Amino acid sequence: MGLKGFVEGGIASIVAGASTHPLDLIKVRMQLQGESHLPNPSLQVYRPALAVNSAAVGNVSISQAVSQPRVGLVSIGVRIVQSEGVAALFSGVSATILRQTLYSTTRMGLYDILKNKWTDKQTGNLPLTSKIVAGLIAGGVGAAVGNPADVAMVRMQADGRLPIDQRRNYKSVIDALGQMTKQEGVGSLWRGSALTVNRAMIVTASQLATYDQVKETIIEKGVMGDGIGTHVTASFAAGFVAAVASNPIDVIKTRVMNMKVAPGAEPPYAGALDCALKTVRAEGPMALYKGFIPTISRQGPFTVVLFVTLEQVRKLFKDF
């Protein structure tokens, strides 16, 4: 595939990322709810999937907070529109496009290269384990390349939930990267990079390997041909597996990337493990699945758009 695989994967990823950006923004807002270092963290509690906990945050227990009227995916979207305007649903979309250009283009192209290299030339088969390994490698490399855009995207998506005097007010992804470099140093562009790499490896391995495996099985069993029905079915399966596998890491990654570190003050989290422990102690273990509903609601459409677009782009570029 060579360069062609990178181009095809990049086009499909940008289309999928931009079209599902509002769902990703809502997911980020939900994942940040309940952080105890924020002012009045319990004033607006979004429902974690399967919430069961009773830990205390300040003087308000999480069980009391969760007993308030539950807020779902649509309700949160409506609240964002009412308080910040319709355009707020696309806050950070420039960072999303840059992230997909760097991260997804790299992982999709590299996965194709490894898959073609490792496929048995005589039988045309590639074991599931090899697909998973290819996904792990491709995801890790892609995440390392795209981490700066990932940090900028999280911050731009989360900015609207902060008090007005604490907002960063980035004008664009370029402005975000520039301000971060000036105020926090170049190292801030790779904040949470270990989490980003781990998450990307899990997502890419589960998403791409599941899609290829389900697609091949459907065609081999004669259930459907190599058409839109097979692509959509395999995409949904891939999106669900990726969402379940990656959500806990995604919650921790979001919180670490979004934390504000005042000059001379200790950061809210010392690292990924510290963030995970503090989150579980303060909000219960199911807090690691906060935002799961929008995650799966976004992963489903994102994965379908990604692979359906990819298949169509491949047909378009077939003769190139």
Side-chain angles (χ1 to χ4, degrees), residues 21-38:
H21 182 81
L23 289 171
D24 194 46
L25 182 142
I26 293 172
K27 176 203 71 175
V28 167
R29 295 288 182 92
M30 291 183 74
Q31 289 176 338
L32 291 171
Q33 287 301 310
E35 287 188 287
S36 57
H37 64 272
L38 294 177

Side-chain angles (χ1 to χ4, degrees), residues 70-85:
R70 292 187 171 185
V71 182
L73 177 68
V74 176
S75 298
I76 296 171
V78 171
R79 286 189 182 184
I80 292 173
V81 171
Q82 290 175 339
S83 61
E84 303 171 48

Side-chain angles (χ1 to χ4, degrees), residues 123-200:
T123 63
N125 293 328
L126 181 67
L128 177 60
T129 52
S130 297
K131 294 172 186 170
I132 292 174
V133 172
L136 291 171
I137 295 172
V141 174
V145 172
N147 198 82
D150 208 359
V151 177
M153 181 187 72
V154 167
R155 291 189 174 195
M156 292 174 75
Q157 289 177 332
D159 213 34
R161 68 183 285 274
L162 295 173
I164 295 177
D165 61 331
Q166 294 183 25
R167 292 180 185 177
R168 299 179 175 102
N169 295 317
Y170 298 137
K171 297 175 183 177
S172 66
V173 63
I174 302 301
D175 180 49
L177 296 175
Q179 286 196 41
M180 287 165 59
T181 301
K182 290 178 182 178
Q183 297 172 8
E184 304 171 52
V186 177
S188 66
L189 300 180
W190 274 270
R191 177 173 292 164
S193 58
L195 287 166
T196 304
V197 169
N198 289 335
R199 177 189 178 276

Side-chain angles (χ1 to χ4, degrees), residues 184-223:
E184 304 171 52
V186 177
S188 66
L189 300 180
W190 274 270
R191 177 173 292 164
S193 58
L195 287 166
T196 304
V197 169
N198 289 335
R199 177 189 178 276
M201 291 173 71
I202 292 173
V203 169
T204 304
S206 57
Q207 187 184 68
L208 300 186
T210 299
Y211 177 78
D212 282 344
Q213 195 68 25
V214 172
K215 175 185 171 183
E216 291 172 7
T217 301
I218 290 175
I219 295 173
E220 288 175 2
K221 299 294 183 182
V223 179

Side-chain angles (χ1 to χ4, degrees), residues 113-133:
I113 289 175
L114 294 175
K115 186 176 71 171
N116 290 331
K117 183 176 182 179
W118 293 345
T119 296
D120 189 302
K121 304 303 179 185
Q122 295 181 339
T123 63
N125 293 328
L126 181 67
L128 177 60
T129 52
S130 297
K131 294 172 186 170
I132 292 174
V133 172

Side-chain angles (χ1 to χ4, degrees), residues 28-79:
V28 167
R29 295 288 182 92
M30 291 183 74
Q31 289 176 338
L32 291 171
Q33 287 301 310
E35 287 188 287
S36 57
H37 64 272
L38 294 177
N40 299 321
S42 62
L43 289 181
Q44 187 179 25
V45 176
Y46 297 156
R47 175 182 57 190
L50 306 176
V52 283
N53 52 62
S54 58
V57 177
N59 295 322
V60 181
S61 70
I62 294 300
S63 60
Q64 291 174 331
V66 174
S67 66
Q68 296 174 358
R70 292 187 171 185
V71 182
L73 177 68
V74 176
S75 298
I76 296 171
V78 171
R79 286 189 182 184

Side-chain angles (χ1 to χ4, degrees), residues 302-318:
F302 174 85
T303 310
V304 170
V305 174
L306 172 67
F307 286 113
V308 170
T309 302
L310 180 62
E311 297 286 358
Q312 296 307 309
V313 171
R314 281 175 175 170
K315 289 181 181 178
L316 187 64
F317 290 171
K318 183 173 60 176

